[in-house]
Amino acid sequence: MTADRLIDRLDVTAYTVPTEAPEADAGLAWHETTVVVVEARSGRTTGLGWTYAPADAGSLVGDLLRTAVLGRSPLDIAGAYQAMGHAAHTAGRPGLVARAVSAVDIALWDLKARLLGLPLVRLIGAVRETVPVYASGGFLTYHDTHLAGQLSGWVHGQGIERVKIKVGEARGRDVERDLTRVGHARDAIGPHAELYVDAGGAYTRKQAVRVGHAAAERGVGWFEEPVPAEDLEGLRIVRDLVVCDVAAGAQGSVLPDFARLTPVVDCLQANATRCGGLTVWLRAAALAEAVGLEISGQGAPHAHAHVAACVPNLRHLEWFHDHARIESTLFAGALDPSGGSVRPGASGEPGHGLSFRHRIAAPYRVL
């Protein structure tokens, strides 16, 4: 590419895709998911980014962030990120604004790699060829047969021997049902596959400790958000008193969110489509590494695959059912998690290797 190339267009659209069946976790129930798509262009080259958020996040890209990015060098991603931060200062960075920033940042990383003709994993610098994944779903709306079929398909059908289900039924008021579902999950996957649970912050501190002990007896090794992520002391207490690894960080919007969590978890989570894109995800990984923790990519698996291969302290990447289904439908070039890992960049395609299927997505468009 020539040195005078600039970012000359930033297009944003949004698409609402129905779920296969009603889905719910401890806090929310939903029957559709909206993905906001950003396409950053420099000449004839396009970078693709996205976030899972209401379509209003797309409006923020157009109204708040576009002018901060246009006319900048596509090589200077850190500068673009800083400019977006200044533009978003009055609106406030956490939450919806952070998701809008994330989508643009991911698009700019993809654009830079494509202009340089490199897979994103090579641009950043790989430390591993394969990225371990765990399959995630097991929504609270699933009846036992549906739950068993999904988990068995992942473990026995695709060879993904790490799976996660939701717990926290009735906002933590039906622990008996939670533990029954954990037992059904263990029966479905067999004695050797790893079993994780996500409570979505539904439990009180002592309740979480009791559930953690009972879950560990059923072979659960990962306890995600046993109490609300903002209850740092509660996370520390549960972490210190249960055998399961305690994880949190999925809702982090800005880097200080992760700095607050590192002293109180066993594994830090971060979602690049929520926290400020790949720029902040890499910084969060460095924070975790500095205190001897691993990091796990949460949700949006194709947004994380390349960057996950570039940090030495990666534990794994969540292959979240809802997001993986949308990405494999609306994007060409999706990865195959069979066997329990993916190989980002193996195709040699530049950037993250995905392209947007505009025609297939058109019926779902809401912005």
Side-chain angles (χ1 to χ4, degrees):
M1 66 169 285
T2 59
D4 58 352
R5 280 281 186 90
L6 300 175
I7 302 166
D8 50 45
R9 283 185 62 181
L10 195 69
D11 298 329
V12 58
T13 49
Y15 306 85
T16 296
V17 182
T19 57
E20 291 178 323
E23 298 175 354
D25 58 18
L28 294 172
W30 63 94
H31 62 275
E32 60 187 20
T33 299
T34 299
V35 57
V36 175
V37 175
V38 170
E39 293 172 285
R41 305 181 193 274
S42 179
R44 296 183 178 181
T45 305
T46 301
L48 174 66
W50 66 97
T51 184
Y52 293 95
D56 288 345
S59 300
L60 286 171
V61 172
D63 298 341
L64 193 65
L65 304 179
R66 180 181 278 127
T67 56
V69 171
L70 291 181
R72 303 187 67 91
S73 167
L75 300 183
D76 297 335
I77 295 175
Y81 175 81
Q82 193 79 359
M84 287 191 288
H86 290 313
H89 177 73
T90 302
R93 278 297 305 278
L96 201 62
V97 174
R99 297 191 185 204
V101 170
S102 300
V104 178
D105 184 83
I106 293 167
L108 294 181
W109 276 103
D110 186 42
L111 175 61
K112 180 177 179 178
R114 289 176 188 272
L115 287 168
L116 296 173
L118 293 171
L120 186 53
V121 67
R122 302 302 170 200
L123 173 65
I124 300 171
V127 297
R128 58 173 52 82
E129 291 186 359
T130 60
V131 172
V133 304
Y134 70 88
S136 171
F139 301 106
L140 295 178
T141 44
Y142 286 3
H143 54 72
D144 293 345
T145 303
H146 190 166
L147 177 70
Q150 184 182 64
L151 300 180
S152 180
W154 285 331
V155 175
H156 305 301
Q158 290 184 272
I160 306 172
E161 296 203 346
R162 308 174 196 88
V163 297
K164 185 174 79 179
I165 68 169
K166 304 293 186 181
V167 294
E169 185 85 44
R171 291 303 302 162
R173 292 188 291 273
D174 195 350
V175 170
E176 182 177 354
R177 174 61 181 155
D178 286 337
L179 294 178
T180 297
R181 292 181 77 251
V182 170
H184 288 322
R186 174 53 68 191
D187 291 341
I189 66 177
H192 303 300
E194 297 180 32
L195 179 58
Y196 304 164
V197 298
D198 174 9
Y203 300 130
T204 64
R205 295 175 180 182
K206 285 191 174 181
Q207 187 182 32
V209 172
R210 292 192 293 269
V211 171
H213 287 314
E217 291 176 357
R218 293 160 172 82
V220 171
W222 170 279
F223 199 178
E224 184 173 329
E225 281 198 27
V227 297
E230 59 269 22
D231 181 9
L232 300 180
E233 179 62 12
L235 286 171
R236 185 195 64 78
I237 289 170
V238 178
R239 181 203 63 186
D240 290 349
L241 293 178
V242 302
V243 175
C244 310
D245 281 354
V246 168
Q251 302 299 328
S253 289
V254 291
L255 194 62
D257 292 340
F258 304 108
R260 287 188 286 268
L261 284 168
T262 54
V264 297
V265 297
D266 294 300
C267 184
L268 184 67
Q269 294 175 284
N271 184 326
T273 70
R274 293 174 179 168
C275 71
L278 304 185
T279 297
V280 177
W281 197 92
L282 285 165
R283 295 174 184 178
L287 277 177
E289 184 185 6
V291 294
L293 293 182
E294 292 177 314
I295 189 167
S296 177
Q298 193 270 344
H302 290 90
H304 294 94
H306 285 253
V307 73
C310 299
V311 295
N313 58 322
L314 177 78
R315 180 172 295 195
H316 43 39
L317 170 59
E318 180 182 26
W319 211 262
F320 181 55
H321 174 67
D322 196 16
H323 296 173
R325 186 178 65 88
I326 290 173
E327 290 165 15
S328 64
T329 300
L330 301 189
F331 304 155
L335 300 170
D336 181 1
S338 296
S341 65
V342 292
R343 297 175 62 89
S347 68
E349 290 292 318
H352 49 49
L354 302 177
S355 58
F356 191 61
R357 292 170 162 164
H358 289 88
R359 195 161 72 178
I360 290 175
Y364 306 111
R365 185 170 176 177
V366 293
L367 177 67

